[in-house]
Amino acid sequence: GATSDAKSANDALSKLGLDLEQRRLELEDASRKFQSQSAEYQNAKRRLASAEHLAKGVLENETRNLSSGMSPQLARASAQLDSLRAAVSENQKILARYEQTAKTAPANYASVEAVKRSFLAALENKALLDIELANAKIAEARDPSRFEVVDPPQADPDPVGPKRLFPTLLAFFVALAIQSWPAWSTRLKAIDN
């Protein structure tokens, strides 16, 4: 009787420990794949909480049984209960760490997205500048104001200046006489008086 009770209690505790571990792993997977507000994560969290609640109830019941001396054969079960307590405590720590990370994740995601948008805008701007540079090179190559010297220089057959020296000198002296006439006329009047 007592041995079979101990064996069934040990089997139940082992199964409960495996189930608790499985649900903890499911929560860790959900925390990596989904955000903390997602239904998948919340469902995994509820499943873990229900398994922990069940484990806590079993632990309390078995602890009462051990302390009352009703089933001393469950010493091995007590060790398993302690391991379940440790698993529950570890699960609570993992859950607290994840929830803390989940609180800061949106800010980190937003800053990464801002840098990504800035980088993509810079790439688009660079592409536009590359196109403008290519267009400017083409326009410069087609510019009609650009020229090349093809023929050697030649003297102009119709020079701008006069061909003869005499008309030039005559024009110079006439201009000089016209400009100096007022001064000469005042001197001549002064001499006559």
Side-chain angles (χ1 to χ4, degrees), residues 87-168:
V88 168
S89 173
E90 185 63 27
N91 290 342
Q92 292 296 337
K93 288 178 188 174
I94 290 170
L95 187 60
R97 271 198 315 266
Y98 175 71
E99 288 181 348
Q100 184 62 31
T101 304
K103 288 178 186 174
T104 60
N108 295 339
Y109 179 75
S111 64
V112 167
E113 285 298 312
V115 169
K116 184 178 175 182
R117 281 192 304 273
S118 174
F119 177 70
L120 291 176
L123 282 180
E124 288 176 9
N125 194 23
K126 180 189 176 297
L128 290 175
L129 290 175
D130 287 341
I131 290 169
E132 285 182 22
L133 177 64
N135 289 339
K137 286 180 180 179
I138 291 170
E140 184 180 1
R142 293 180 180 171
D143 188 6
S145 65
R146 292 174 51 122
F147 63 90
E148 295 180 18
V149 176
V150 178
D151 298 330
Q154 297 177 354
D156 189 5
D158 298 323
V160 176
K163 292 184 181 179
R164 298 186 182 185
L165 183 61
F166 179 70
T168 306

Side-chain angles (χ1 to χ4, degrees), residues 6 9-10 13 59 62 66 73-82:
N10 285 338
L13 288 174
L59 288 172
E62 292 302 321
L66 285 173
Q73 297 86 359
L74 299 179
R76 184 168 170 234
S78 175
Q80 288 181 341
L81 288 175
D82 289 340

